[in-house]
Amino acid sequence: MQNKDDISISVIKRLPRYYRFLQSLKDNGIVRISSKELAARMGLTASQIRHDFNCFGGFGQQGYGYNVPELHAKIGEILCVDKEIKTILIGAGNLGKAITNKMFSKNSGFKLIGIFDKNEAICGNMIKGIPVRNVNYLENFCIDNSPVCAVTCIPSTDMEELTDLLVKVGIKSFLNFTNYDIAMAHPGVIVENVHLRDSLLTLGYLTNTSLDKSEE
Amino acid sequence: MQNKDDISISVIKRLPRYYRFLQSLKDNGIVRISSKELAARMGLTASQIRHDFNCFGGFGQQGYGYNVPELHAKIGEILCVDKEIKTILIGAGNLGKAITNKMFSKNSGFKLIGIFDKNEAICGNMIKGIPVRNVNYLENFCIDNSPVCAVTCIPSTDMEELTDLLVKVGIKSFLNFTNYDIAMAHPGVIVENVHLRDSLLTLGYLTNTSLDKSEE
DNA sequence: TAGATTGTTAATCGATTAACAATC
DNA sequence: TAGATTGTTAATCGATTAACAATC
């Protein structure tokens, strides 16, 4: 087992998928799995799986494999799914609503404590029991409640002003759905970008390339 | 310039971001940029940028750099943003609505031609001028209109049956928002996965790790 | 022409895979 | 004990970076 700082981002990005697969194995009552069997199910190599898990410690048993509920719990622990990072969401459009409804379930590691929007017309609306507040109240809300994380699903053009404010009032990490480059503007802040349009463009490239090929 | 098949997926995944940055440079009236300057703006190395562009051909000029509108056009061409891949969307909840409203703009390379949902109550509703149809009509619609791509934003539990049908009627590529593993179930099909919850869990890990460190 | 910057090859770095001793 | 499978190191592979000749 190595120091947490040494763990490469590629390993970290695989953890949520491991967690999901183990969850589903557990739900199906499977108590034991070998790296070979898990590799076959996930489309990875057994070597990589053992290598990945060993970044965090020896979770298996020679000659047996891995205990599914135990491994699931260990990875959940590494991902801190039991934590409740105080989180605010800015932008209560369709995307904001979808995120609020689906993503902050138990064992997500986060707790949504406030929703903000600049559109007066929807302020006061409730989403999953949380009122949509006018973005004018954002600064005071942050001072009073000290959220750590912000989810941004607003137009990119509003992002510069907003992120300056959020970083000022102590936001440490962002789940960013806009194209504004938060990491570039605020070095040191933790940012996970979700660029939906980039995914679509990549898919377009791959689809067209594959169609060209099948026409040859 | 190499064969299209030789181009690694990591290069391809950077193309949409290059395209975005060049768009914004172009919008700001910048007509010339060097790899060094672009690297500084994007947080990459100049070497990588030249290396990436050269996978597709020599777009620059020694001693000058790159012509922004020209390079933008070239990358748009590579990404086939002018194509209109016929696309259907399944699941007209908040996420489906957000995607419909924001992602299929001009120069996305896609054209949304049909929206489907199993919820009777919302069938007939219009989203961006497209009616929500009952999923019962999906098979016949595909036979009549031959869509190439499908966007899936429905519960994972409905995915096995749905993807079997979609692949049968000729869908070649998927933008998949569910946790169902389409690629595993249908080898050969092109899949771009967007796992929002995985992004959140990764952010949780990074956030907690960083908070632990700053407490030391 | 001289300076700048590309295109491209070689060197480096890091991630994945293979191999096998340890051991359950 | 014998068979199975991990943990871990070494080998391989691929991606990124550095270097520099070509050339605008």
Side-chain angles (χ1 to χ4, degrees), chain A residues 13-28:
Chain A
K13 296 235 171 197
R14 280 194 291 271
L15 289 180
R17 185 152 180 263
Y18 286 128
Y19 189 64
R20 269 197 282 125
F21 268 79
L22 289 163
Q23 176 86 57
S24 114
L25 292 173
K26 191 182 154 200
D27 291 347
N28 287 307

PDB file of all heavy atoms in Angstrom, chain A residues 13-28:
ATOM      1  N   LYS A  13      -9.991   7.308 -10.896  1.00  0.00           N
ATOM      2  CA  LYS A  13     -11.165   7.398 -11.782  1.00  0.00           C
ATOM      3  C   LYS A  13     -11.820   6.038 -12.021  1.00  0.00           C
ATOM      4  O   LYS A  13     -12.954   5.978 -12.489  1.00  0.00           O
ATOM      5  CB  LYS A  13     -10.762   8.018 -13.128  1.00  0.00           C
ATOM      6  CG  LYS A  13     -10.274   9.445 -13.011  1.00  0.00           C
ATOM      7  CD  LYS A  13     -11.048  10.394 -13.898  1.00  0.00           C
ATOM      8  CE  LYS A  13     -10.676  11.836 -13.577  1.00  0.00           C
ATOM      9  NZ  LYS A  13     -11.619  12.800 -14.076  1.00  0.00           N
ATOM     10  N   ARG A  14     -11.088   4.957 -11.740  1.00  0.00           N
ATOM     11  CA  ARG A  14     -11.713   3.636 -11.877  1.00  0.00           C
ATOM     12  C   ARG A  14     -12.468   3.211 -10.626  1.00  0.00           C
ATOM     13  O   ARG A  14     -13.295   2.303 -10.672  1.00  0.00           O
ATOM     14  CB  ARG A  14     -10.652   2.579 -12.228  1.00  0.00           C
ATOM     15  CG  ARG A  14     -10.271   2.559 -13.698  1.00  0.00           C
ATOM     16  CD  ARG A  14      -9.484   1.299 -14.057  1.00  0.00           C
ATOM     17  NE  ARG A  14      -8.163   1.292 -13.464  1.00  0.00           N
ATOM     18  CZ  ARG A  14      -7.070   1.819 -14.036  1.00  0.00           C
ATOM     19  NH1 ARG A  14      -7.149   2.372 -15.221  1.00  0.00           N
ATOM     20  NH2 ARG A  14      -5.897   1.764 -13.433  1.00  0.00           N
ATOM     21  N   LEU A  15     -12.190   3.856  -9.499  1.00  0.00           N
ATOM     22  CA  LEU A  15     -12.807   3.427  -8.234  1.00  0.00           C
ATOM     23  C   LEU A  15     -14.338   3.444  -8.266  1.00  0.00           C
ATOM     24  O   LEU A  15     -14.964   2.476  -7.828  1.00  0.00           O
ATOM     25  CB  LEU A  15     -12.295   4.286  -7.068  1.00  0.00           C
ATOM     26  CG  LEU A  15     -10.837   4.072  -6.647  1.00  0.00           C
ATOM     27  CD1 LEU A  15     -10.501   4.989  -5.485  1.00  0.00           C
ATOM     28  CD2 LEU A  15     -10.579   2.620  -6.265  1.00  0.00           C
ATOM     29  N   PRO A  16     -14.963   4.517  -8.759  1.00  0.00           N
ATOM     30  CA  PRO A  16     -16.434   4.516  -8.758  1.00  0.00           C
ATOM     31  C   PRO A  16     -17.033   3.350  -9.544  1.00  0.00           C
ATOM     32  O   PRO A  16     -18.048   2.789  -9.141  1.00  0.00           O
ATOM     33  CB  PRO A  16     -16.790   5.861  -9.415  1.00  0.00           C
ATOM     34  CG  PRO A  16     -15.623   6.735  -9.126  1.00  0.00           C
ATOM     35  CD  PRO A  16     -14.434   5.817  -9.212  1.00  0.00           C
ATOM     36  N   ARG A  17     -16.360   2.970 -10.623  1.00  0.00           N
ATOM     37  CA  ARG A  17     -16.875   1.852 -11.423  1.00  0.00           C
ATOM     38  C   ARG A  17     -16.725   0.536 -10.657  1.00  0.00           C
ATOM     39  O   ARG A  17     -17.631  -0.296 -10.656  1.00  0.00           O
ATOM     40  CB  ARG A  17     -16.135   1.810 -12.762  1.00  0.00           C
ATOM     41  CG  ARG A  17     -16.663   0.786 -13.713  1.00  0.00           C
ATOM     42  CD  ARG A  17     -16.442   1.169 -15.160  1.00  0.00           C
ATOM     43  NE  ARG A  17     -16.992   0.130 -16.013  1.00  0.00           N
ATOM     44  CZ  ARG A  17     -16.286  -0.866 -16.556  1.00  0.00           C
ATOM     45  NH1 ARG A  17     -14.982  -0.942 -16.361  1.00  0.00           N
ATOM     46  NH2 ARG A  17     -16.887  -1.776 -17.306  1.00  0.00           N
ATOM     47  N   TYR A  18     -15.587   0.356 -10.000  1.00  0.00           N
ATOM     48  CA  TYR A  18     -15.433  -0.825  -9.149  1.00  0.00           C
ATOM     49  C   TYR A  18     -16.543  -0.861  -8.109  1.00  0.00           C
ATOM     50  O   TYR A  18     -17.157  -1.893  -7.868  1.00  0.00           O
ATOM     51  CB  TYR A  18     -14.081  -0.811  -8.416  1.00  0.00           C
ATOM     52  CG  TYR A  18     -12.875  -1.129  -9.266  1.00  0.00           C
ATOM     53  CD1 TYR A  18     -11.769  -0.287  -9.279  1.00  0.00           C
ATOM     54  CD2 TYR A  18     -12.817  -2.288 -10.028  1.00  0.00           C
ATOM     55  CE1 TYR A  18     -10.646  -0.575 -10.036  1.00  0.00           C
ATOM     56  CE2 TYR A  18     -11.697  -2.593 -10.794  1.00  0.00           C
ATOM     57  CZ  TYR A  18     -10.622  -1.730 -10.800  1.00  0.00           C
ATOM     58  OH  TYR A  18      -9.510  -2.010 -11.551  1.00  0.00           O
ATOM     59  N   TYR A  19     -16.780   0.283  -7.524  1.00  0.00           N
ATOM     60  CA  TYR A  19     -17.796   0.378  -6.464  1.00  0.00           C
ATOM     61  C   TYR A  19     -19.172  -0.041  -6.990  1.00  0.00           C
ATOM     62  O   TYR A  19     -19.881  -0.819  -6.348  1.00  0.00           O
ATOM     63  CB  TYR A  19     -17.825   1.810  -5.936  1.00  0.00           C
ATOM     64  CG  TYR A  19     -18.663   1.989  -4.697  1.00  0.00           C
ATOM     65  CD1 TYR A  19     -18.320   1.353  -3.510  1.00  0.00           C
ATOM     66  CD2 TYR A  19     -19.792   2.810  -4.707  1.00  0.00           C
ATOM     67  CE1 TYR A  19     -19.080   1.524  -2.366  1.00  0.00           C
ATOM     68  CE2 TYR A  19     -20.554   2.985  -3.564  1.00  0.00           C
ATOM     69  CZ  TYR A  19     -20.191   2.340  -2.403  1.00  0.00           C
ATOM     70  OH  TYR A  19     -20.951   2.506  -1.279  1.00  0.00           O
ATOM     71  N   ARG A  20     -19.528   0.444  -8.163  1.00  0.00           N
ATOM     72  CA  ARG A  20     -20.802   0.081  -8.790  1.00  0.00           C
ATOM     73  C   ARG A  20     -20.915  -1.405  -9.064  1.00  0.00           C
ATOM     74  O   ARG A  20     -21.924  -2.036  -8.770  1.00  0.00           O
ATOM     75  CB  ARG A  20     -20.932   0.810 -10.130  1.00  0.00           C
ATOM     76  CG  ARG A  20     -21.612   2.132 -10.062  1.00  0.00           C
ATOM     77  CD  ARG A  20     -22.052   2.563 -11.436  1.00  0.00           C
ATOM     78  NE  ARG A  20     -20.991   3.091 -12.258  1.00  0.00           N
ATOM     79  CZ  ARG A  20     -20.666   2.656 -13.458  1.00  0.00           C
ATOM     80  NH1 ARG A  20     -21.314   1.624 -14.004  1.00  0.00           N
ATOM     81  NH2 ARG A  20     -19.703   3.232 -14.147  1.00  0.00           N
ATOM     82  N   PHE A  21     -19.847  -1.965  -9.644  1.00  0.00           N
ATOM     83  CA  PHE A  21     -19.888  -3.395  -9.976  1.00  0.00           C
ATOM     84  C   PHE A  21     -19.989  -4.244  -8.716  1.00  0.00           C
ATOM     85  O   PHE A  21     -20.742  -5.225  -8.677  1.00  0.00           O
ATOM     86  CB  PHE A  21     -18.652  -3.791 -10.795  1.00  0.00           C
ATOM     87  CG  PHE A  21     -18.889  -3.684 -12.277  1.00  0.00           C
ATOM     88  CD1 PHE A  21     -18.841  -2.452 -12.916  1.00  0.00           C
ATOM     89  CD2 PHE A  21     -19.194  -4.807 -13.034  1.00  0.00           C
ATOM     90  CE1 PHE A  21     -19.076  -2.337 -14.281  1.00  0.00           C
ATOM     91  CE2 PHE A  21     -19.427  -4.706 -14.399  1.00  0.00           C
ATOM     92  CZ  PHE A  21     -19.368  -3.467 -15.026  1.00  0.00           C
ATOM     93  N   LEU A  22     -19.254  -3.855  -7.684  1.00  0.00           N
ATOM     94  CA  LEU A  22     -19.296  -4.632  -6.446  1.00  0.00           C
ATOM     95  C   LEU A  22     -20.662  -4.514  -5.791  1.00  0.00           C
ATOM     96  O   LEU A  22     -21.180  -5.484  -5.224  1.00  0.00           O
ATOM     97  CB  LEU A  22     -18.186  -4.160  -5.505  1.00  0.00           C
ATOM     98  CG  LEU A  22     -16.793  -4.570  -5.991  1.00  0.00           C
ATOM     99  CD1 LEU A  22     -15.709  -3.772  -5.298  1.00  0.00           C
ATOM    100  CD2 LEU A  22     -16.580  -6.076  -5.782  1.00  0.00           C
ATOM    101  N   GLN A  23     -21.236  -3.314  -5.877  1.00  0.00           N
ATOM    102  CA  GLN A  23     -22.597  -3.110  -5.367  1.00  0.00           C
ATOM    103  C   GLN A  23     -23.555  -4.105  -6.020  1.00  0.00           C
ATOM    104  O   GLN A  23     -24.354  -4.761  -5.348  1.00  0.00           O
ATOM    105  CB  GLN A  23     -23.037  -1.682  -5.689  1.00  0.00           C
ATOM    106  CG  GLN A  23     -24.478  -1.352  -5.299  1.00  0.00           C
ATOM    107  CD  GLN A  23     -24.571  -0.913  -3.862  1.00  0.00           C
ATOM    108  OE1 GLN A  23     -23.906   0.052  -3.472  1.00  0.00           O
ATOM    109  NE2 GLN A  23     -25.371  -1.617  -3.062  1.00  0.00           N
ATOM    110  N   SER A  24     -23.433  -4.218  -7.339  1.00  0.00           N
ATOM    111  CA  SER A  24     -24.387  -5.077  -8.034  1.00  0.00           C
ATOM    112  C   SER A  24     -24.123  -6.560  -7.742  1.00  0.00           C
ATOM    113  O   SER A  24     -25.054  -7.355  -7.604  1.00  0.00           O
ATOM    114  CB  SER A  24     -24.394  -4.755  -9.531  1.00  0.00           C
ATOM    115  OG  SER A  24     -23.909  -5.823 -10.284  1.00  0.00           O
ATOM    116  N   LEU A  25     -22.855  -6.924  -7.587  1.00  0.00           N
ATOM    117  CA  LEU A  25     -22.546  -8.304  -7.179  1.00  0.00           C
ATOM    118  C   LEU A  25     -23.131  -8.598  -5.808  1.00  0.00           C
ATOM    119  O   LEU A  25     -23.747  -9.640  -5.577  1.00  0.00           O
ATOM    120  CB  LEU A  25     -21.027  -8.528  -7.133  1.00  0.00           C
ATOM    121  CG  LEU A  25     -20.276  -8.512  -8.461  1.00  0.00           C
ATOM    122  CD1 LEU A  25     -18.770  -8.579  -8.231  1.00  0.00           C
ATOM    123  CD2 LEU A  25     -20.716  -9.672  -9.348  1.00  0.00           C
ATOM    124  N   LYS A  26     -22.931  -7.636  -4.922  1.00  0.00           N
ATOM    125  CA  LYS A  26     -23.438  -7.774  -3.550  1.00  0.00           C
ATOM    126  C   LYS A  26     -24.970  -7.909  -3.553  1.00  0.00           C
ATOM    127  O   LYS A  26     -25.528  -8.779  -2.884  1.00  0.00           O
ATOM    128  CB  LYS A  26     -23.009  -6.535  -2.752  1.00  0.00           C
ATOM    129  CG  LYS A  26     -23.217  -6.621  -1.255  1.00  0.00           C
ATOM    130  CD  LYS A  26     -22.801  -5.314  -0.603  1.00  0.00           C
ATOM    131  CE  LYS A  26     -23.551  -5.105   0.700  1.00  0.00           C
ATOM    132  NZ  LYS A  26     -23.555  -3.692   1.124  1.00  0.00           N
ATOM    133  N   ASP A  27     -25.610  -7.043  -4.347  1.00  0.00           N
ATOM    134  CA  ASP A  27     -27.076  -7.093  -4.442  1.00  0.00           C
ATOM    135  C   ASP A  27     -27.565  -8.437  -4.963  1.00  0.00           C
ATOM    136  O   ASP A  27     -28.672  -8.872  -4.658  1.00  0.00           O
ATOM    137  CB  ASP A  27     -27.595  -5.972  -5.366  1.00  0.00           C
ATOM    138  CG  ASP A  27     -27.407  -4.591  -4.744  1.00  0.00           C
ATOM    139  OD1 ASP A  27     -27.111  -4.529  -3.536  1.00  0.00           O
ATOM    140  OD2 ASP A  27     -27.542  -3.586  -5.465  1.00  0.00           O
ATOM    141  N   ASN A  28     -26.720  -9.094  -5.769  1.00  0.00           N
ATOM    142  CA  ASN A  28     -27.093 -10.403  -6.295  1.00  0.00           C
ATOM    143  C   ASN A  28     -26.650 -11.548  -5.397  1.00  0.00           C
ATOM    144  O   ASN A  28     -26.696 -12.713  -5.789  1.00  0.00           O
ATOM    145  CB  ASN A  28     -26.514 -10.589  -7.702  1.00  0.00           C
ATOM    146  CG  ASN A  28     -27.257  -9.746  -8.730  1.00  0.00           C
ATOM    147  OD1 ASN A  28     -28.479  -9.810  -8.830  1.00  0.00           O
ATOM    148  ND2 ASN A  28     -26.520  -8.922  -9.469  1.00  0.00           N
TER     149      ASN A  28
END
